Amino acid sequence: MLRCFLALCLTLWLGAAHALTAAQALAMAAGDTDDRVAAVRQAAMEPGERTADFLKALLDDEVKVAAGRAVIVRNGQGSDPVTGASVHVPEDAEDIINNNRMRGEIDTALAAMQLLGGDEPQRLAAAQALMKEPDPARLPLLEKALAQESSRRVKDQIALALAATQLGSDEADARKRAAEALAHHPTPDTRLLLNERIATEEDTGVKAQLQRSLAQVDDSLAWGERLGAAFTGISLGSILLLVALGLAITYGLMGVINMAHGELMMIGAYATYVVQGLFQKYLPGAFDWYLVAAVPLAFGASAAVGAVLERGVLRFLYGRPLETLLATWGISLVLQQLVRSVFGAQNVGVENPAWMSGGVQVLSNLTLPYNRLVIIGFAAAVLLGMGYLIGRTRLGLFVRGVTQNRPIASCMGVNTARTDTLAFALGSGIAGLAGCALSQVGNVGPDLGQSYIVDAFMVVVLGGVGQLAGTVYAALGLGVLNKFIEGWAGAVLAKIAVLVFIIIFIQKRPQGIFAVKGRTAD
């Protein structure tokens, strides 16, 4: 019983020690800015539920001063910040005005209180926030938090925030030690802090250490930047691959210059948008799985439009490439206007499912988004499926036979007209899958396909007409090359450089990366 009584007394004493007082509340609400800032910093050292609530109210402009007391006013009702009891708010109560400096101090104080009293994720986020805004006045707070912290991960982050704060110390040795400590934590925030300190540092010894630390941080971050550029290039390459795979059939195997290929992608993207709307309205509990249902529907919608296009127009134009180009270009304009009439001219929003949101943080400056990772895997799956279909199935055999020698294939009993329709529908359906994937990383609008149609043709021509392996190499190669040049020379010059490279390559090797083998290759 005695132990319980002592524990209860200790708990009550600690609660009273950290309780907000009327004088503290008034000091944080009224007076000049310097005094208010000092009061807020003092309150942050003694976290409590009432103190946190008062600071949040102060930040939200919900505090007034009346009769020498601070009052919280929410929805027209006043309450005492110390006890929480309802109080009358007189008409002449004075509004509290917070300038930007005061708001920044309140934000930092709330983060500091989480650092001392929140759960582990809150403490980690608070330490990261305090590192971005180092202030020597917060050294006692950080030292106190470091002494009582038990989590190794949070403790390391607090130590980093402490080192960042000590960069502003009046002692040269402390600044030098802080610079040495920051060198072992290569992050973009660390690089920014070191750069800012170098610009103002006067001590030659400290400045030399700052420069050494900055060089070490830059070397470490350079790997993240290189890997980030490579991943972005592979991601762009996977999108180009999805876009070009359908064209590899319609243009590479069938010889049809389909200028409406981009609009077939657009149809797949809008099919995804429609499925999303149906799930939001009728199956909101299963919304995260709408994309699984959208994939076959996007393929089917684009394949159906492609089959109608082939049977209604293109079958009369085989062997006439110029007429085919003009006809498909006109059809692309018709499809764009049809979409504008049905869905409107503005872009529509397609949301990522919850399992595609966020990313994997590999390095401090390298995060791999889940949606990009899923699209890379999806492109690989579509590539394998298409390779199997063309190389191992009866339809693929017929397509290859008709492509290589149409009269002989017809003599062998192959229904060439039906094969043409199925092959074109397959290429169109793959374009729909590309549109479904693109809806997860960009805007969906009537002009969606126009951004990729030229790149898709370049990929197919560079890889070798009718060569699936060449399409893969060309898509990934152009994607990575474009992103590396973009980081060095900018997006416009990167596009120009890639185009010049393709022109020179085709001049030297007109058949592309992989040439067609056989007696009729020429």
Side-chain angles (χ1 to χ4, degrees):
M1 291 294 294
L2 180 59
R3 288 182 179 178
C4 293
F5 175 75
L6 291 175
L8 177 61
C9 290
L10 180 61
T11 302
L12 292 174
W13 180 82
L14 287 173
H18 292 170
L20 177 68
T21 65
Q24 287 176 326
L26 182 62
M28 288 187 280
D32 61 37
T33 301
D34 289 339
D35 292 339
R36 293 178 64 194
V37 166
V40 168
R41 289 179 176 177
Q42 180 61 35
M45 294 292 293
E46 299 176 351
E49 183 179 349
R50 293 292 181 191
T51 305
D53 183 61
F54 181 74
L55 287 173
K56 290 176 184 176
L58 198 61
L59 190 63
D60 295 334
D61 297 324
E62 295 176 335
V63 176
K64 295 178 182 291
V65 173
R69 291 179 63 88
V71 179
I72 297 176
V73 181
R74 292 190 175 114
N75 300 321
Q77 300 294 321
S79 62
D80 191 315
V82 177
T83 63
S86 297
V87 296
H88 173 67
V89 183
E91 293 183 0
D92 61 348
E94 180 185 353
D95 290 328
I96 302 301
I97 299 176
N98 297 313
N99 55 27
N100 290 337
R101 179 189 173 195
M102 194 66 200
R103 290 184 180 278
E105 288 293 337
I106 295 172
D107 278 331
T108 304
L110 289 171
M113 295 176 73
Q114 287 184 334
L115 185 65
L116 293 172
D119 56 23
E120 183 172 337
Q122 289 176 331
R123 299 197 305 275
L124 182 64
Q128 291 170 343
L130 290 173
M131 179 195 166
K132 293 178 181 178
E133 296 182 3
D135 188 338
R138 301 191 186 105
L139 278 173
L141 168 68
L142 291 169
E143 290 170 349
K144 179 180 179 181
L146 186 64
Q148 71 180 38
E149 183 57 57
S150 58
S151 169
R152 171 56 57 185
R153 184 184 177 195
V154 179
K155 199 164 189 172
D156 289 343
Q157 187 62 46
I158 295 174
L160 184 58
L162 186 62
T165 304
Q166 287 174 336
L167 276 182
S169 173
D170 293 333
E171 299 179 5
D173 289 340
R175 298 197 301 274
K176 190 172 182 179
R177 289 194 301 270
E180 292 174 355
L182 289 173
H184 301 293
H185 297 275
T187 67
D189 292 331
T190 303
R191 177 163 58 186
L192 178 62
L193 288 171
L194 291 171
N195 273 317
E196 290 175 347
R197 188 63 205 179
I198 286 175
T200 59
E201 183 58 56
E202 297 179 355
D203 187 286
T204 56
V206 177
K207 193 165 188 175
Q209 180 58 52
L210 287 168
Q211 291 171 339
R212 288 194 296 270
S213 298
L214 181 60
Q216 186 174 338
V217 169
D218 284 338
D219 289 342
S220 299
L221 292 180
W223 280 106
E225 292 168 357
R226 295 187 193 105
L227 293 174
F231 175 77
T232 306
I234 292 172
S235 175
L236 175 61
S238 67
I239 292 174
L240 290 177
L241 177 61
L242 275 174
V243 175
L245 277 177
L247 203 61
I249 295 178
T250 57
Y251 176 59
L253 293 180
M254 300 180 64
V256 175
I257 304 175
N258 182 17
M259 297 302 295
H261 187 77
E263 281 57 50
L264 294 170
M265 292 164 44
M266 174 195 68
I267 290 172
Y270 273 100
T272 306
Y273 168 70
V274 171
V275 173
Q276 172 193 256
L278 293 175
F279 268 73
Q280 287 175 334
K281 185 175 183 180
Y282 298 107
L283 295 170
F287 178 77
D288 285 341
W289 301 104
Y290 86 88
L291 194 59
V292 177
V295 168
L297 289 177
F299 179 88
S302 295
V305 173
V308 172
L309 175 61
E310 196 280 334
R311 295 305 297 166
V313 179
L314 296 180
R315 70 189 180 99
F316 303 108
L317 301 175
Y318 285 133
R320 299 154 65 184
L322 181 59
E323 287 86 341
T324 301
L325 185 150
L326 293 174
T328 54
W329 178 65
I331 291 169
S332 73
L333 299 179
V334 172
L335 291 176
Q336 287 183 41
Q337 190 56 46
L338 178 63
V339 166
R340 289 191 180 97
S341 300
V342 175
F343 297 99
Q346 301 298 321
N347 292 340
V348 297
V350 178
E351 300 178 19
N352 285 338
W355 49 273
M356 284 182 66
S357 302
V360 180
Q361 186 165 359
V362 181
L363 299 173
S364 60
N365 61 333
L366 176 60
T367 300
L368 308 183
Y370 288 136
N371 58 350
R372 296 279 181 174
L373 291 171
V374 170
I375 288 176
I376 292 173
F378 182 65
V382 173
L383 173 64
L384 293 174
M386 181 177 167
Y388 177 81
L389 187 65
I390 296 297
R392 298 298 181 91
T393 66
R394 186 178 179 84
L395 173 62
L397 178 63
F398 286 172
V399 169
R400 286 183 284 118
V402 171
T403 300
Q404 292 172 11
N405 197 318
R406 179 179 294 269
I408 295 299
S410 180
C411 291
M412 297 295 293
V414 177
N415 188 336
T416 56
R418 182 170 178 269
T419 301
D420 289 336
T421 302
L422 291 176
F424 197 88
L426 174 62
S428 302
I430 294 174
L433 293 180
C436 180
L438 284 172
S439 70
Q440 301 301 304
V441 294
N443 295 323
V444 175
D447 300 324
L448 171 68
Q450 299 302 308
S451 303
Y452 293 95
I453 184 65
V454 175
D455 289 338
F457 272 105
M458 287 195 300
V459 166
V460 174
V461 172
L462 180 64
V465 175
Q467 298 299 307
L468 200 57
T471 302
V472 177
Y473 282 103
L476 295 178
L478 289 181
V480 173
L481 179 64
N482 185 77
K483 286 302 175 182
F484 271 104
I485 298 177
E486 185 177 307
W488 170 62
V492 176
L493 289 179
K495 285 284 186 183
I496 295 173
V498 169
L499 180 60
V500 170
F501 166 75
I502 292 174
I503 293 173
I504 295 173
F505 186 89
I506 295 300
Q507 285 288 328
K508 298 295 183 182
R509 190 177 174 85
Q511 67 271 36
I513 297 175
F514 289 90
V516 178
K517 296 179 181 180
R519 289 174 293 178
T520 61
D522 296 330

